[in-house]
């Protein structure tokens, strides 16, 4: 069974989806954005899953999607920022090439803005984002086989950095 070329992790606003698309295109591979897959399976946006079904239901669906992606997706996987809090997901990620897309708070806040479609940032988005960054930073750093900053960079610059860090695959560059 195939495994991902690389897995992107990071906080909201780090650029996982944007960089994931550009990286997959550069590698001639497919992208699986786990939040997009969750929405497709649920038939509704992540924010609606949180409101209508609750965070526990979202996390269960997220766990299933991430586990499937990590065990069989042959391209690039962009994992939702909170998936790493699950112990089983962390164990699965420990056996993969994981790139932590690091972003400074100001850049993350600017990218996220006051987007209320991000359920965990509802209320006071800046304060909640700062709290999430602080809570998850040690997990992101622990799981990362490589760290690439996205702050102040164009997605193609981030892709250049990731490609340079990819392990060799099948006798050639990934």
């Amino acid at each position: 069974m195939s495994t991902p070329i690389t897995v992107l992790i990071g906080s909201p606003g780090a650029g996982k989806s944007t960089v994931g698309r550009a990286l997959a295109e550069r590698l001639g591979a497919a992208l699986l954005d786990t939040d997009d897959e969750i929405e497709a399976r649920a038939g509704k946006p992540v924010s609606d899953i949180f409101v209508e079904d609750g965070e526990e239901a979202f996390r269960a669906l997220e766990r299933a999607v991430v586990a499937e992606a990590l065990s069989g997706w042959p391209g690039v996987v962009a994992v939702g920022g909170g998936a790493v809090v699950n112990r089983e997901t962390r164990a699965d990620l420990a056996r993969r090439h994981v790139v932590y897309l690091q972003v400074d708070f100001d850049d993350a806040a600017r990218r996220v803005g006051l987007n209320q479609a991000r359920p965990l940032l509802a209320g006071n988005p800046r304060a909640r984002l700062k709290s999430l960054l602080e809570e998850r930073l040690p997990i992101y750093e622990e799981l990362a086989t490589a760290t690439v900053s996205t702050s102040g960079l164009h997605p193609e610059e981030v892709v250049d950095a990731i490609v340079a860090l990819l392990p060799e695959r099948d006798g050639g560059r990934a």
Side-chain angles (χ1 to χ4, degrees):
M1 186 165 276
S2 292
T3 61
I5 295 168
T6 194
V7 180
L8 304 178
I9 63 170
S11 71
K16 298 177 299 292
S17 298
T18 300
V19 170
R21 280 189 296 277
L23 178 62
E25 184 176 319
R26 171 89 58 92
L27 298 175
L31 170 69
L32 192 149
D33 183 310
T34 60
D35 283 347
D36 290 348
E37 181 64 19
I38 289 165
E39 289 181 344
R41 290 188 189 188
K44 54 188 165 186
V46 166
S47 58
D48 288 354
I49 299 169
F50 268 78
V51 170
E52 297 170 11
D53 307 323
E55 184 176 359
E56 187 175 322
F58 170 78
R59 295 295 177 200
L61 182 53
E62 179 180 58
R63 171 64 192 138
V65 167
V66 171
E68 289 173 29
L70 296 179
S71 68
W73 189 257
V76 175
V77 176
V79 176
V84 299
V85 300
N86 180 285
R87 180 181 40 80
E88 294 167 319
T89 295
R90 288 194 306 272
D92 290 347
L93 286 166
R95 299 186 301 272
R96 308 286 180 247
H97 184 264
V98 176
V99 177
Y100 164 42
L101 296 182
Q102 185 276 330
V103 63
D104 294 337
F105 174 76
D106 288 340
D107 280 346
R110 182 182 44 77
R111 292 174 187 170
V112 171
L114 300 176
N115 185 350
Q116 295 301 317
R118 294 178 186 258
L120 289 181
L121 298 182
N124 183 342
R126 282 186 68 86
R128 188 62 187 133
L129 178 60
K130 185 169 178 45
S131 175
L132 287 175
L133 286 169
E134 291 170 358
E135 291 168 17
R136 296 176 182 168
L137 177 62
I139 298 170
Y140 295 142
E141 290 177 337
E142 176 187 326
L143 292 171
T145 54
T147 298
V148 175
S149 176
T150 65
S151 292
L153 298 177
H154 186 275
E156 289 300 325
E157 293 173 297
V158 177
V159 168
D160 290 342
I162 294 170
V163 168
L165 297 169
L166 287 174
E168 299 285 330
R169 286 175 61 102
D170 303 324
R173 290 296 301 166

